[in-house]
Every structure is written in C-alpha cells, then in structure tokens.
Amino acid sequence: MMLTTIRSRMLVATLLPIVLIVLVLVGVFWANRLGELDQTHQQRGKLLLSQLAVSSEYGLFSGNLASLQLVVNGIKREADVRSVSVFDARGVLLVSAGAAPHQVLADALLAAAASAKKSDLELETLIQNVSFQKVPLDEGFGQSFEEGSAEPVPLGHAVLQLSRDGLHKRQQEMLQLALGVGLLGLLMAGFLAIQLGEGVVQPILRVSRMISQVGSGDLMARIRETPGDPLYDLQVSLNQMATQLAWGRDELEQRVANVTAELRDKKNEAEDATRAKTRFLAAASHDLRQPTHALGMFVARLSQLPLEGPVKQLVARVDESVRAMQDLLDDLLDVSRLDAGAVVVNLRPVAVGAVLELVAKALEPFAAEKGLRLKVRPTEVWVMTDAVLLHRMVMNLVHNALRYTDLGSVLVACRLSADGQIARLEVWDSGVGISLEHQTDIFREFYQVGNSGRDRAYGLGLGLNIVQRSATLLGHQLSVKSAPGRGSRFSISLPRAESAGLAAEAVGHEAPAIVSLQGTRVLLIEDDAFARTAVVELLESWGCTVYAGHTALAAMAAHERHGDWDVILSDYRLSSGDNGLLAIERLRAYAGRDVPAGLMSGDTDSALMQAAKDANLPLLHKPVRPAKLRSLLRRLTMASERPVSESA
C-alpha cells in the first residue's frame, strides 16, 4: 500500500541498495574492530603478567615479601585487573592483592585452563613462571666465568586475574560508534536519494499533471519544455499532441454545431409535421365522430318505429355496425386519455361486491346469448382503488372472457392473500386459452391471438391494453395464467381497505327508470345540421320539447318564453369561433338561474375535459350512445326539478 506512488517507488529503489551496502560495511567494520579489541585485551594481559613476573624476581630471590607486595599492589592498580598473586616454587601463596580466590597454585592452574577454553568468561586467569637465570661475569679480561649451570632456577609463579568488563564496554562503544556512522550514512544516502529521486520524479509528475489536465478537457494545458531534461522529447511530444487535440476539438465542435443545427431544423420540421398530423387527426376524429353520432341517433330513432321483419333485421344489423364503430371510437378515446395522462385517479375505499354486481347485470344478457353461464361470487371485501376505473377493467376482462369462450362458464371472484392485506380479483374462463409465447403480446394495442382476419365478433384488441394501462395508472398488479385448451385466469391485485360504512357507489348506472322525460324542455345548441336533426328527433321520441338551433340565439328564437328551459344541451365546438362553455354561461346569465346543462363534443382534447370539469359540466364524447344521453337528461331533469320541490 505504501508503494502506490512514483515517488515512493523511486525512493525505495534508490535507498534499498544503499541500505544494504551501509549495513554490510557497518557489520564488517564492527567485526574487525571487535577482533582487534579482543586481541589488544589479551596482549595487554600478557604484558602485565610479564611485568609482574620480571618485577617479582628480586623479591622471590631475596625473600623480601614487602617488595613483592609493592609490586603486586602496583600491578593491581592497572585497569581491568581483578587480582594479583605470587606463589613460591612450592606453590605456596606469598603475596596477593585484590580478590584472590586461589589459595594454592593448583587452583590457579585449573582457573587458567578454564579461561583458555572459555574466552568469553568475565575473568581470565593468566600464570607465568618466575625463574632466576645466572648472569655471566665479565672480569675485563675477555674471559667469562659462570658459577654452576646455565639452566634457569625456578623461583615461583605469578598469577594475574584480568576482567573483561572493560573489553565489553569498549565493544559496546565501538558498536554504538558503528551504528552512529551507519545511521549518518543512511541519512546522507536518504537525502541524496530523495534529491536524485525528485530530479527524476518531478519531470514525470509534471508530465502526469499535464496528461490529467488534457484528460479532463483542458486542451490548452502545456508543459514547460526544459532542454537537458531526461523527458525533454516526451514534453515536446505532449505539447504537440495537446495542440493537435485542441485543433481537432475545435473542428469537431464546429461539426457538432453544424449537425446540431441540421438536427434542430429536422426536429422543427418533425414537430411541425407532428402538429399538422395532430391537427389532422383531431379534425378527422371530430369530423368522423359527428356523422357517426348523427347515424347512431337516426338508427336509435329508426329502431323505435314499427318495422316489418326483414326491415327490422336490417335495422338491427345497422345498429350493430354503428355500435361497433362507437365501441372502437370509445376505446381509442380511452387509450388516448390514458396516454395523455388526462385520467384523474380518485382513490378511495370501494366495495368489490357492488362493482361485480354491476358487471354481472350488464353482461348477463351477452352470456345468455352465447349459452354461457356467468357466475359472480358475492364478497364483502373493500379495496383502495378508483371505482370507475376498476369497473371498466373488470368489464373489459369479463367481456373478453365471454368473447373467447364458446362452452362452459366464466367465473368472477375475489380472494384474499395469506396475510389478508391484498385482495385478488380473478376472472376465470373455460375458453380456448393462451399459449405462453402470446401472454405478453395480448396486452399490446390491436393484438389478437387467432384473429388475423379481424373478425369483429372477437372485439378490437384494445380491451386488455386498456386494462393494463389502467392497472399501471392505479399501481395495481395485473397477471395472467393460461394454457391452450384449458382456459385463462386474469388477476388484479388490489390493496385491501376498511369498509367506508356507506352504501357502495353504483358505477355507470342510469338514473331510476321512474324519472320520465315527458314534457322536459330542452334547449339544444348544435351547429351540425344532421346531428341536430338526429338529436331533436330522438329527444322528441322520448317526449321532450326541444328548442334547437345552430347557435344559442337561434335556439332561443325558437322558444316564445325565453329563459324558461329545464335543460341546456350544447355541442362544444360551435360556428364563428364560439363554444358550448361560453354559450351555456351566457344562457344561464340570461335565464337568471343555474340551469342544469351538459356538453357533447367530438373533441378528445384533455384540456377540454379539464375545462368541463372546472365548469362542473358533464361531458359526453361523440358518438353519444342514446342510453348515455337518456341517462344524462334524467340526471339533469332531476336537478332541474329539485329547486321547485324545495320552494314548494
């Protein structure tokens, strides 16, 4: 971890051989000096012993013990001398100084032998014989006379005990000196290594910093070119590279700017084309919905007339075709609203049983027509969801199950999870089933398994897509389990909620049948002549009195008692740039009261839906189904009659 930088690696590479050399030199120096000190110590001991032996000859020869004691005391005062002893020829101790543990010569000889074997002992015992040798006499006549034999005469023995403490001390001092010299050498070597390393590392670091700046985008960074620097050629090359990169960047930026400008132009063209396409589709949708709306009203009116068998069947077929077209337009409207995020979610506790009951009532006739059994299990479970969206999802799932089931039954049930926190709403069928490879594609728009001929009897392929989009919007999990020939099971997982303590909301039901439209005065504003005629005839067939016109003034002109209306029904898009919201506002102001009113429109813009919601006006999208129009008029009629009863 410590060798992660160039500086540290250079320092180690420089110091390591120097450290090894210094350590070897210090070791050799200390070993040599250690041998020299030991040799000097031994030579000094021998010299002291020799001096003792020579100085003791006279005292032993004459028997002068006082003289011997003086000699011994003198030798004892020398450094490292522990004891000094002199023995006679018989081995008897004559004089001694210091600690003299050897009382007889034999002990001294044994100690000397031990010292010779173990040179590292703290004490060394040295023994030397003291002898007298006759000196020839010269009487001046060129002749010498000797008395007796020339052999030396033994007088005694000199014993010296020498301590090695001084030697050890000098060895330690020498070791400290060697270590000090080695440490000083290391410090000097380290200083020189750092200086030399910096001389190599700094150019590398400068190159590294420049490369880092260039890498971070600063192509104007330059490194100082120093002739004689070992990296001089690299410095020059780096500066040239940075210059070329800067030129390349400028050229690339210019190209990018040109391409960006071209893309911006293309984007603007695409946006213009998209806006034109949107305007075209909106206009086409509006223009398509208008005649479809009028056609639906005419067919509904036609079906009320007494008709013969073949004509009645023909009208029924026309009605089926109109309903199929209306279903397609309604599904496309739902998809577009989900895509645009125009659907407002209203999460609150909803009784699942009430939703399933409404679904059963609506689809039981269709199931009976196909000879199927629709079974809905009652449940008391409440969930946290949007009641309207949940009703639409279940309707689509059950309707889809009935379409693809030829024999058997369709089961709708609600089951709780193991912990009771999740309610799983399931739709089972005994239909043809779906293979695993298609179980993802069935949620795509207009995708249908086994309906390449686009048979209208199997729907349009938008139902499951709307269910999935709605589930995603609500945060509910949608799953499918199916196998070919074994039917299918679609499940919606919803968070469980506590009972709201109120009656379940009826989703999508009409006003009570007891509310009659007979005599209801309706002010109708519709600028399309065919649609206006169709709605007027249908309303009059329900017993309504209709005052219609292509503008609010034209509708008012058809009524002798201006402002005396029960209901106002207006198209949104009117002639001369007018719209239904403003027309209703002016008519209410003219009438002096908040006349119940409703909007119809072939526009599917989310802004219109929000504007109608802000104005608290119900909005029906064209083509309007006669049943929905009847339901709206009944609710508005009830709202119109309520103030009368209250005033009475």
Side-chain angles (χ1 to χ4, degrees):
M1 292 295 180
M2 297 179 61
L3 303 179
T4 56
T5 62
I6 298 177
R7 182 179 282 104
S8 61
R9 294 182 181 181
M10 286 292 299
L11 184 61
V12 170
T14 307
L15 282 179
L16 187 59
I18 296 176
V19 170
L20 294 176
I21 293 173
V22 170
L23 291 177
V24 170
L25 292 178
V26 169
V28 172
F29 170 77
W30 185 71
N32 291 337
R33 292 298 299 162
L34 185 65
E36 292 176 359
L37 288 174
D38 187 69
Q39 184 178 2
T40 301
H41 176 76
Q42 293 178 4
Q43 290 177 356
R44 179 171 175 271
K46 291 178 180 180
L47 288 176
L48 289 175
L49 182 61
S50 177
Q51 182 181 0
L52 174 63
V54 172
S55 300
S56 302
E57 289 182 5
Y58 174 75
L60 288 173
F61 177 77
S62 62
N64 189 349
L65 296 179
S67 176
L68 285 175
Q69 188 66 48
L70 291 174
V71 172
V72 169
N73 291 337
I75 297 299
K76 175 62 180 64
R77 285 192 291 269
E78 292 293 331
D80 297 330
V81 176
R82 187 66 63 85
S83 67
V84 182
S85 303
V86 178
F87 295 85
D88 61 10
R90 294 170 299 179
V92 177
L93 178 64
L94 297 178
V95 293
S96 65
H102 310 293
Q103 299 299 322
V104 295
L105 183 60
D107 296 337
L109 292 174
L110 291 175
S115 301
K117 292 180 181 179
K118 298 181 180 180
S119 59
D120 58 344
L121 294 178
E122 296 299 327
L123 292 177
E124 292 183 2
T125 302
L126 304 176
I127 300 177
Q128 183 173 341
N129 296 328
V130 181
S131 60
F132 170 75
Q133 188 169 359
K134 294 180 181 180
V135 180
L137 299 177
D138 185 3
E139 295 183 353
F141 298 99
Q143 297 179 351
S144 60
F145 300 90
E146 297 182 359
E147 296 181 357
S149 174
E151 293 294 330
V153 179
L155 298 176
H157 305 277
V159 179
L160 179 67
Q161 279 191 334
L162 195 63
S163 173
R164 298 178 66 89
D165 292 341
L167 175 62
H168 293 331
K169 183 178 180 181
R170 287 190 293 276
Q171 288 177 345
Q172 292 178 356
E173 292 175 351
M174 187 57 63
L175 178 61
Q176 293 175 357
L177 177 62
L179 293 177
V181 172
L183 180 60
L184 180 61
L186 289 176
L187 292 176
M188 295 180 63
F191 176 75
L192 293 177
I194 292 175
Q195 293 299 319
L196 293 175
E198 288 296 320
V200 177
V201 170
Q202 286 300 327
I204 296 177
L205 291 179
R206 287 196 296 270
V207 170
S208 176
R209 284 192 293 269
M210 178 190 172
I211 294 175
S212 177
Q213 290 176 333
V214 172
S216 62
D218 184 12
L219 300 183
M220 300 307 296
R222 296 293 183 272
I223 189 172
R224 182 165 55 96
E225 300 175 1
T226 306
D229 193 291
L231 301 179
Y232 174 73
D233 293 338
L234 180 60
Q235 294 169 355
V236 174
S237 299
L238 285 176
N239 288 336
Q240 293 176 352
M241 179 196 70
T243 302
Q244 293 176 357
L245 286 175
W247 291 345
R249 182 187 63 181
D250 295 340
E251 182 179 358
L252 182 61
E253 287 179 350
Q254 183 62 38
R255 291 182 179 179
V256 169
N258 295 336
V259 173
T260 303
E262 294 178 1
L263 290 176
R264 188 181 296 110
D265 294 339
K266 297 293 184 182
K267 174 177 174 292
N268 293 334
E269 293 177 3
E271 289 178 349
D272 293 340
T274 300
R275 285 191 290 268
K277 176 184 175 182
T278 302
R279 289 193 299 269
F280 169 76
L281 291 177
S285 174
H286 178 271
D287 294 343
L288 178 62
R289 289 174 181 273
Q290 286 287 85
T292 305
H293 170 67
L295 179 60
M297 298 297 173
F298 282 128
V299 172
R301 179 69 183 96
L302 183 62
S303 62
Q304 296 174 355
L305 300 177
L307 303 173
E308 298 179 359
V311 178
K312 187 175 182 179
Q313 292 180 359
L314 180 60
V315 172
R317 296 291 182 267
V318 174
D319 186 48
E320 290 179 2
S321 300
V322 172
R323 289 186 181 183
M325 187 179 300
Q326 291 174 342
D327 290 339
L328 173 60
L329 292 174
D330 288 343
D331 288 344
L332 290 175
L333 175 61
D334 290 339
V335 171
S336 63
R337 291 177 63 194
L338 289 169
D339 279 339
V343 178
V344 179
V345 176
N346 182 20
L347 291 177
R348 57 180 173 177
V350 176
V352 177
V355 175
L356 299 186
E357 183 180 354
L358 291 173
V359 173
K361 289 181 179 179
L363 295 180
E364 276 179 353
F366 182 62
E369 183 181 349
K370 292 194 65 175
L372 302 175
R373 182 181 178 187
L374 177 60
K375 296 185 293 185
V376 178
R377 290 182 180 174
T379 179
E380 301 296 329
V381 176
W382 287 66
V383 294
M384 184 63 68
T385 186
D386 184 288
V388 176
L389 291 179
L390 179 63
H391 177 261
R392 290 179 183 174
M393 288 192 291
V394 179
M395 280 286 292
N396 278 325
L397 290 178
V398 177
H399 200 192
N400 197 66
L402 293 172
R403 279 175 177 167
Y404 286 90
T405 302
D406 296 327
L407 296 173
S409 62
V410 174
L411 172 65
V412 185
C414 182
R415 294 182 173 89
L416 296 178
S417 60
D419 58 1
Q421 300 300 314
I422 300 297
R424 193 169 58 249
L425 204 158
E426 299 177 344
V427 178
W428 297 72
D429 66 64
S430 57
V432 296
I434 307 168
S435 62
L436 184 61
E437 61 184 15
H438 297 300
Q439 290 181 12
T440 302
D441 296 331
I442 58 175
F443 295 103
R444 289 163 38 196
E445 300 93 334
F446 300 106
Y447 186 89
Q448 291 176 307
V449 180
N451 189 21
S452 58
R454 305 299 298 172
D455 187 352
R456 195 179 67 240
Y458 294 100
L460 303 169
L462 289 173
L464 291 179
N465 179 262
I466 293 174
V467 172
Q468 185 188 50
R469 291 170 183 262
S470 300
T472 303
L473 181 64
L474 293 171
H476 302 334
Q477 182 180 358
L478 176 65
S479 60
V480 59
K481 184 177 181 181
S482 181
R486 297 184 180 181
S488 304
R489 184 199 69 186
F490 288 85
S491 302
I492 305 175
S493 297
L494 308 102
R496 192 177 180 186
E498 296 296 331
S499 173
L502 301 173
E505 178 186 4
V507 182
H509 72 290
E510 294 188 3
I514 58 174
V515 178
S516 174
L517 298 179
Q518 188 68 35
T520 302
R521 292 162 296 183
V522 180
L523 182 65
L524 175 64
I525 308 172
E526 173 62 71
D527 63 336
D528 185 85
F530 287 103
R532 184 171 64 251
T533 302
V535 174
V536 168
E537 292 183 1
L538 183 62
L539 293 181
E540 289 179 346
S541 70
W542 293 342
C544 298
T545 302
V546 184
Y547 310 102
H550 66 284
T551 64
L553 292 178
M556 291 170 58
H559 185 33
E560 298 178 355
R561 299 171 61 187
H562 299 307
D564 189 11
W565 319 295
D566 297 321
V567 174
I568 300 175
L569 190 62
S570 174
D571 185 24
Y572 174 73
R573 185 185 295 185
L574 302 175
S575 59
S576 302
D578 199 2
N579 63 71
L581 290 172
L582 297 177
I584 292 174
E585 183 180 355
R586 289 194 296 266
L587 289 172
R588 283 177 170 177
Y590 179 80
R593 60 189 179 91
D594 194 8
V595 182
L599 280 175
M600 296 184 299
S601 178
D603 293 329
T604 59
D605 188 7
S606 59
L608 170 59
M609 290 183 271
Q610 185 61 42
K613 182 179 179 181
D614 294 340
N616 197 23
L617 291 174
L619 174 63
L620 297 180
H621 286 282
K622 294 180 180 180
V624 178
R625 298 176 186 271
K628 288 186 178 181
L629 180 59
R630 183 193 294 267
S631 176
L632 174 62
L633 288 176
R634 284 174 175 171
R635 289 199 300 271
L636 295 178
T637 300
M638 291 177 61
S640 177
E641 293 176 352
R642 189 176 299 116
V644 177
S645 61
E646 291 174 355
S647 61

